[in-house]
Amino acid sequence: MSSTASGKNGTWRNWGGNVAARPARQVEPASVEELAAAVRRAREDGLKVKAVGTGHSFTSIAATDGVLIRPHLLTGIRTIDRGSMTVTVEAGTPLKRLNAALAREGLSLTNMGDIMEQTVSGATSTGTHGTGRLSGSIAAQIKGLELVTADGSVLTCSEKENPEVFAAARIGLGALGVITAITFAVEPLFLLTAREEPMPFERVIAEFDQLWAENEHFEFYWFPHTGNTNTKRNNRSAGPEQPVGQLAGWFEDEFLSNGVFQVAQWVGRTVPAAIPAIARISSKALSARTYTDIPYKVFTSPRRVRFVEMEYAVPRAALVTVLRELRTMVDRSGLRVSFPVEVRTAPADDITLSTASGRDSAYIAVHMFRGTPYQAYFTAAERIFTAHEGRPHWGKVHTRDAEYFARVYPRFGEFTALRDRLDPDRLFQNDYLRRVLGA
């Protein structure tokens, strides 16, 4: 699936279909040298520069009318270091290719998100994450970075080398330079047992702290207009492997989660009044199941139903309060919400602009079917999230600006000062970065 659809006349569109841009030119460098040369040339021509991965962000973080760099020729593993248990990959490598290549080598990332279509650089630059009690986002697993900065030079950083750049660039929003390679910590391939089961909303809320504490990776989906959730617990396992059978997998992951769900979304878009009834049926469609497999086959799943999404990180201690407020808002609003609300967690990390920077976090994601008006729902949800000092996912819909971020990120000034040093002329600026980081 090519998610970076380039339309007619050189128009670039994102996966969610809610962002379009017309760059002056598009460049597909096949080496770090070519990429550096493209950056220098753009600078000489007075054009801004943006790199774009697979377009899975719902914000205009990658949009530009200048030079759009497509890194899909910069793919593959550069080196595997079994002594330090790290792997260095080219920036344009899709996560699905990295996961499969690592598995063939008997290796795996510790944690990952639930979609693996993105490039490694796009996913980490926007703070893509899964769920975990002790293990954080994909960016939290980075051990080293290589990037081309505004003057066209190549900068490498790690905990020891340029540590102040390393602290920020792991989730750099594309504001500090164009990433060319990433070094990740890896570990020997292991097995996870997933236990998926429906659970009443009130029970999940009442037992949330316990469910979080007892599982390495806990998440759940709540279906608005119902008191139903579907929970998922992933924990390490000694085996044996017991993957989801092909037929069962097709039925549950493709037919129910993508096929029937797609039809339900179409019906809901045409007849919004039917949505609560559809929600009650779909929240009961998925039955309990347990399976054991290698990590990426457990953590990730196909997402073929296109949607638009907003996600906020709130302090983990505030999660139950926020969810109750969200539920009350939906019940009183007359809104018709056809997509489940996804809830995950992450431990505090030390990355300057990570949504989990310095605090244990819980993530609440709200979605709407692509092409459905989402503004009223997202605006009402955002009001609740921001009242709890929520931090929006950098690649998902939000309306926050630099003034807000300076309040909810204690190290915000550290990031902007580094940006002033690395990109004083704002070569990597676009409208989105102007809004979220300030001019």
Side-chain angles (χ1 to χ4, degrees), residues 55-109:
H56 264 265
S57 288
F58 300 99
T59 58
S60 52
I61 190 163
T64 187
D65 56 5
V67 176
L68 191 68
I69 293 179
R70 316 283 294 263
H72 57 265
L73 299 178
L74 294 171
T75 60
I77 292 178
R78 271 193 199 177
T79 52
I80 293 173
D81 184 335
R82 290 181 191 270
S84 63
M85 286 306 277
T86 58
V87 58
T88 301
V89 281
E90 305 281 347
T93 310
L95 285 166
K96 59 184 174 190
R97 280 189 55 189
L98 173 63
N99 289 336
L102 287 176
R104 284 195 298 272
E105 296 283 345
L107 300 168
S108 177
L109 292 171

Side-chain angles (χ1 to χ4, degrees), residues 263-275 278 336 338 369 372:
V263 174
Q265 295 299 320
W266 283 331
V267 172
R269 186 163 69 184
T270 317
V271 192
I275 285 174
I278 294 170
R336 293 286 176 255
S338 59
F369 185 42
T372 313

Side-chain angles (χ1 to χ4, degrees), residues 2-23 26 52-60 62-64 68 70 306 370:
S2 167
S3 337
T4 39
S6 259
K8 298 185 186 84
N9 353 319
T11 303
W12 172 84
R13 284 181 198 285
N14 69 337
W15 183 86
N18 64 322
V19 177
R22 290 195 61 182
Q26 299 194 32
V52 65
T54 51
H56 264 265
S57 288
F58 300 99
T59 58
S60 52
T64 187
L68 191 68
R70 316 283 294 263
R306 303 231 170 178
R370 176 174 166 170

Side-chain angles (χ1 to χ4, degrees), residues 285-426:
L286 295 168
S287 50
R289 63 176 183 174
T290 301
Y291 52 96
T292 301
D293 214 329
I294 60 174
Y296 81 87
K297 293 186 176 177
V298 173
F299 283 130
T300 69
S301 50
R303 290 275 189 281
R304 304 197 205 289
V305 180
R306 303 231 170 178
F307 53 82
V308 178
E309 179 179 2
M310 167 183 280
E311 181 183 64
Y312 267 76
V314 297
R316 203 182 69 235
L319 173 70
V320 171
T321 307
V322 174
L323 279 176
R324 287 200 183 284
E325 290 175 11
L326 192 65
R327 187 179 182 184
T328 303
M329 178 274 288
V330 170
D331 289 346
R332 288 180 181 166
S333 65
L335 288 167
R336 293 286 176 255
V337 180
S338 59
F339 246 85
V341 172
E342 185 179 21
V343 180
R344 296 176 289 176
T345 67
D349 65 37
D350 63 349
I351 303 171
T352 319
L353 290 187
S354 163
T355 43
S357 185
R359 74 181 189 194
D360 291 336
S361 301
Y363 293 96
I364 304 170
V366 296
H367 310 69
M368 274 296 217
F369 185 42
R370 176 174 166 170
T372 313
Y374 59 83
Q375 281 81 359
Y377 175 39
F378 284 13
T379 300
E382 191 172 40
R383 203 171 289 138
I384 294 168
F385 301 148
T386 54
H388 294 273
E389 298 205 331
R391 298 169 178 170
H393 187 301
W394 295 108
K396 297 177 185 177
V397 176
H398 68 88
T399 65
R400 301 297 89 192
D401 60 14
E403 191 187 351
Y404 178 83
F405 292 124
R407 281 209 314 278
V408 297
Y409 281 101
R411 297 168 67 187
F412 187 74
E414 197 181 306
F415 189 95
T416 53
L418 179 67
R419 180 186 183 219
D420 288 341
R421 196 185 99 205
L422 291 180
D423 186 12
D425 303 324
R426 302 291 186 260

